[in-house]
């Protein structure tokens, strides 16, 4: 009888020890809540990674929902799959809060241009994009405007 009680206690102790170890190890896995800017930064990078990879089907679903109501996925792919322009990379330059849930995001985008009959060349441009939070997700609002680069400014 005493052996059974001792065995039962040992099993309970092992169970408690296992539970404690599991809780401690899970505590390291739990992430801190993301800030608004962190969530936006992740979403911007996801969007541009899709564009650079040429995965316009996935980039489409990061476009603002009202835009997606106006343009189908096929139309979006057709416009963005332009053989003349290939996205090669990007840099996130700035994230400026306009008001809650709206940011202007400055991007430097690297492209390769291949015009038929001409030699391909690479270039970059600065874009100012609008990003809007709808619910818990951030969306790109099409209609980027090109920002003059500092080198091109006239005094």
């Amino acid at each position: 009888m005493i052996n059974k009680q001792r065995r039962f206690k040992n099993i309970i102790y092992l169970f408690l020890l296992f539970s404690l170890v599991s809780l401690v190890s899970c505590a390291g896995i739990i992430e801190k809540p993301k800030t608004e800017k962190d969530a936006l930064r992740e979403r911007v990078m996801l969007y541009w990674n899709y564009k650079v990879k040429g995965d316009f089907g996935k980039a489409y679903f990061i476009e603002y929902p009202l835009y997606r109501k106006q343009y189908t996925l096929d139309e979006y792919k057709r416009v963005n799959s332009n053989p003349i322009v290939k996205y090669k990379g990007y840099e996130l330059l700035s994230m400026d809060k306009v008001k809650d849930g709206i940011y202007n995001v400055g991007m430097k985008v690297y492209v390769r241009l291949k015009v038929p009959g001409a030699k391909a060349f690479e270039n970059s441009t600065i874009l100012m994009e609008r990003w809007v939070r709808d619910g818990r997700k951030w969306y790109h609002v099409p209609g980027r405007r090109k920002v003059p680069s500092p080198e091109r400014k006239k005094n």
Side-chain angles (χ1 to χ4, degrees):
M1 185 75 176
I2 293 177
N3 269 344
K4 281 187 176 185
Q5 286 177 341
R6 186 175 288 160
R7 187 179 301 159
F8 182 73
K9 280 184 180 179
N10 286 340
I11 290 172
I12 296 295
Y13 287 135
L14 284 173
F15 176 75
L16 290 173
L17 181 64
F18 177 75
S19 298
L20 182 63
V21 169
S22 296
L23 283 174
V24 169
S25 64
C26 286
I29 294 173
I30 297 172
E31 295 180 21
K32 292 186 273 186
K34 293 178 189 165
T35 66
E36 182 178 60
K37 267 189 161 179
D38 288 339
L40 174 58
R41 182 179 294 106
E42 281 183 19
R43 192 79 163 163
V44 169
M45 293 174 70
L46 180 66
Y47 174 80
W48 277 102
N49 283 336
Y50 289 148
K51 297 278 260 191
V52 168
K53 289 178 188 173
D55 195 345
F56 301 111
K58 289 183 180 172
Y60 174 77
F61 290 100
I62 300 177
E63 299 292 359
Y64 194 64
L66 290 176
Y67 175 85
R68 294 194 321 257
K69 285 183 179 181
Q70 294 175 2
Y71 300 96
T72 67
L73 175 58
D74 289 336
E75 289 170 325
Y76 183 81
K77 283 181 178 179
R78 188 173 52 252
V79 169
N80 283 278
S81 304
N82 185 340
I84 293 173
V85 179
K86 167 94 172 103
Y87 295 107
K88 300 300 284 181
Y90 65 91
E91 288 178 54
L92 177 59
L93 301 176
S94 64
M95 294 172 44
D96 301 314
K97 186 174 188 171
V98 176
K99 61 182 184 178
D100 281 343
I102 301 175
Y103 273 78
N104 286 332
V105 176
M107 301 294 300
K108 185 171 189 177
V109 179
Y110 299 91
V111 295
R112 183 167 198 258
L113 302 165
K114 176 67 174 122
V115 179
K119 185 178 177 183
F121 66 98
E122 293 191 3
N123 199 3
S124 65
T125 190
I126 306 291
L127 302 174
M128 185 60 66
E129 301 183 321
R130 177 65 55 105
W131 284 78
V132 176
R133 188 181 63 230
D134 187 6
R136 297 182 71 191
K137 290 187 177 179
W138 286 95
Y139 294 96
H140 175 257
V141 179
R144 300 181 294 269
R145 43 187 207 276
K146 190 173 177 180
V147 177
S149 65
E151 305 91 54
R152 294 186 202 164
K153 280 187 179 175
K154 294 181 180 178
N155 293 330

